[in-house]
Amino acid sequence: MTATKDPEPRGRRRSFDVDQAVETAMRLFHARGYDAVGVAELGAELGIKPPSFYAAFGSKAGLFERALQRYIQGEANIFARALADGGDVATVIDRTLALAARLYPRRDGVAGCLVLDATRNSADPDACALTAAAKRASREALRAFIATERPAKAGALADFLTIAMAGMSAAARDGADEAALTAFAETAGRAFRREMEAD
């Protein structure tokens, strides 16, 4: 992406790449959580001063929203990736859990899911509202997919998966490795299949 014009006086151009700035912020928020990353640190990492920061993003929450959108639209959207490969509900859910087990363990200082963990215990209502909306959308996508086969159980099974994924993300941030998460994912997948098949 090319730099865009800065809405500051005298028609000055931004001296930073907005797309790269969002990528950098996404990694910081993911690694440390929303509250632990301050505006001053963001400005230093992005190489911009506060006026340029606020002109580009409006607020820290505004940048976080952009970072969340980037994250959700990328490879970190585990359910969308699992769904793209096709299969019945149980197969796609097995694939979703297996992908989470592979992707959530710490790599390059980052563990877990940005959506699930970035605002855990956060005091910022705007940031919490953003992740809450993303979680609701994720749960609804799961519920709607499960409902294609088991509509009466879709809500309860979507809740089961949402809680399982949140637990996997939290465990990864606490140091759980891929082997431990894979064992859990397999157990959760078997439990999901049993509930799908039960009358």
Side-chain angles (χ1 to χ4, degrees):
M1 175 182 284
T2 58
T4 57
K5 288 189 176 179
D6 195 329
E8 295 178 2
R10 299 184 300 279
R12 290 184 296 171
R13 295 180 64 82
R14 284 203 180 105
S15 59
F16 71 103
D17 184 321
V18 174
D19 190 60
Q20 183 57 49
V22 172
E23 175 72 21
T24 299
M26 182 185 75
R27 293 181 182 281
L28 285 171
F29 288 134
H30 194 176
R32 295 171 47 204
Y34 180 84
D35 285 7
V37 182
V39 171
E41 179 183 3
L42 284 166
E45 287 286 338
L46 304 180
I48 58 175
K49 297 186 181 303
S52 293
F53 177 91
Y54 289 111
F57 305 112
S59 65
K60 177 182 166 183
L63 174 56
F64 182 59
E65 182 174 18
R66 298 271 294 272
L68 273 179
Q69 290 170 350
R70 184 182 185 92
Y71 184 83
I72 292 167
Q73 292 166 4
E75 291 188 352
N77 191 330
I78 292 171
F79 175 61
R81 288 175 60 182
L83 187 60
D85 288 337
D88 62 13
V89 168
T91 298
V92 171
I93 296 307
D94 279 344
R95 194 180 297 133
T96 300
L97 291 165
L99 273 170
R102 192 166 79 239
L103 296 176
Y104 283 175
R106 188 173 301 278
R107 290 184 179 84
D108 299 324
V110 178
C113 171
L114 176 66
V115 173
L116 294 173
D117 281 311
T119 59
R120 191 180 299 278
N121 301 319
S122 174
D124 188 301
D126 293 332
C128 288
L130 290 168
T131 52
K135 290 173 190 176
R136 285 193 300 271
S138 177
R139 182 204 176 270
E140 175 54 26
L142 286 166
R143 188 209 62 76
F145 177 61
I146 296 166
T148 62
E149 292 184 18
R150 296 305 299 266
K153 291 188 169 187
L157 287 171
D159 287 339
F160 170 80
L161 289 169
T162 299
I163 293 167
M165 299 283 281
M168 291 174 73
S169 179
R173 291 181 78 87
D174 286 341
D177 62 14
E178 184 173 345
L181 292 178
T182 296
F184 175 83
E186 290 171 352
T187 300
R190 288 193 295 270
F192 182 88
R193 283 179 180 271
R194 284 195 299 271
E195 287 301 311
M196 280 284 293
E197 294 167 359
D199 292 331

